[in-house]
Amino acid sequence: MFFSLCAIGVGGLLSPGHGVSSALAADIHGVRLFGAPGYTRLVLDMSGPVAHQISVLHDPERVVIDIPDAALRARAMPRAQGYVSTIRSGHPESDVLRVVLDLNTAVRPRSFALRPDADHGHRLVVDLESPDSASASPKRAAPERERDVIVAISPGHGGHDPGALGPRGTKEKDVVLAIARRVKHHLDAQAGVRGVLIRDSDVFVEHRDRMAIARKYKADMFVAIHADAFTDKRAHGSTVYILSERGASSEAARWLAKNNNPPDLKGGIALDKMDDTLKTVLISLSQNASLGASQSVGEHVIDELAKIGRVRKKTVQQAGFLVLKSPDIPSILVETAFISNPKDEARLRSKRDQDRWGEAIANGVVRYFAAHPPPDTLLSMRQSRERPDDLTYVISRGDTLSEIADRFNVPLSSLRRANKLRGDRIRIGQVIRIPSSRG
């Protein structure tokens, strides 16, 4: 059985069999594939924009991508990952390139084109989701059902990129994946919290693709796991990073420059429907809140890491790591230890210590969300039901009085009265009362 799902052209729809101008001719010089739980992505790196048509074949399951006036110049096809068992190519017609994805299960494909940015040229992206996971998503988002807090866990490197190497040849990509799995294990053990792994096998995932996967899962927090290295083998201990203000500014400029198809902010706010001034305001507000939350969760993680070993820097550090640049998802990067230090390398290889790092990171994240549960989550619901008549709250960076009122389901006017506040001005470290009254 054969049926056409979509046919997307540059500047509009392309009907099957419709002619394509030779101006769209392009070379495909790279084919990338990676899989994540419930999700597989194919990326075709191209010399220019292309029209394309996607179809699905059954018995056996395949996805077919027809690209008129294109030539495949990639040296090799990637190995099997996720839902894709093999990738083949051919020419059903002399002027049409056909790329066939042999699948190990039925999928629902979705495709879109990406324009060049600072890191890549033109790209055609094909996302594959299982029909079951796609149909389950709306049920999870239903407003009448409290959801879990979602934490995206991103073990660094992978595939052809081993990361740093230890004196005994230990590869960073292997040990950080093991630690990331332990972070997920400990998060999943907490009611109302769920971890999702950006990669759960030895595959390479581009930094911006990692951010895109976290956004797909509607993550409330992004945690990157790495192992440090230095020329001086005496360097050891853990460090926690968040995005620097300079890095945040450059990413805001990048989002604003995406006039045709800018990414939506978390919560479904579509930037492409707004003018530049409003875009700037919304991205700035989102970044400020995100950086404040990142700082807070980073401090909690440092406290937990200090219980199990040396913390190299006692405060959260700032850097321009690309993987931290989502302006609306709080993000931290944990350098668990120095793989270049023989003692730290031995700990990184130890399953016992991998679990201790995983538990410490998870505990820090859970501590943050226990104090700052998103309002539509099970954690928030349980907090509002189980808390005493009155409680106190310590103001953290990025907090606003209105957000605190929403978080605890208390009218803003009641919060002001309980704390004798004439306005909404609060300061970091200030202790305020959360009244039990809902009136």
mmCIF file of all heavy atoms in Angstrom, residues 60 240 292 311:
data_model
loop_
_atom_site.group_PDB
_atom_site.id
_atom_site.type_symbol
_atom_site.label_atom_id
_atom_site.label_comp_id
_atom_site.label_asym_id
_atom_site.label_seq_id
_atom_site.Cartn_x
_atom_site.Cartn_y
_atom_site.Cartn_z
ATOM 1 N N PRO A 60 7.099 -3.907 3.793
ATOM 2 C CA PRO A 60 7.562 -3.401 5.080
ATOM 3 C C PRO A 60 7.455 -1.876 5.183
ATOM 4 O O PRO A 60 7.238 -1.188 4.175
ATOM 5 C CB PRO A 60 9.037 -3.840 5.097
ATOM 6 C CG PRO A 60 9.424 -3.832 3.648
ATOM 7 C CD PRO A 60 8.211 -4.287 2.895
ATOM 8 N N VAL A 240 29.853 23.660 37.983
ATOM 9 C CA VAL A 240 28.525 23.834 37.384
ATOM 10 C C VAL A 240 28.500 25.169 36.642
ATOM 11 O O VAL A 240 28.914 26.200 37.184
ATOM 12 C CB VAL A 240 27.411 23.791 38.442
ATOM 13 C CG1 VAL A 240 26.045 24.038 37.800
ATOM 14 C CG2 VAL A 240 27.411 22.445 39.159
ATOM 15 N N GLY A 292 17.740 33.265 35.795
ATOM 16 C CA GLY A 292 17.532 33.256 37.242
ATOM 17 C C GLY A 292 17.267 31.859 37.762
ATOM 18 O O GLY A 292 17.829 31.440 38.790
ATOM 19 N N VAL A 311 34.195 20.168 45.113
ATOM 20 C CA VAL A 311 33.629 21.091 44.135
ATOM 21 C C VAL A 311 34.692 22.132 43.833
ATOM 22 O O VAL A 311 35.135 22.864 44.733
ATOM 23 C CB VAL A 311 32.348 21.750 44.664
ATOM 24 C CG1 VAL A 311 31.852 22.800 43.672
ATOM 25 C CG2 VAL A 311 31.272 20.700 44.897
#
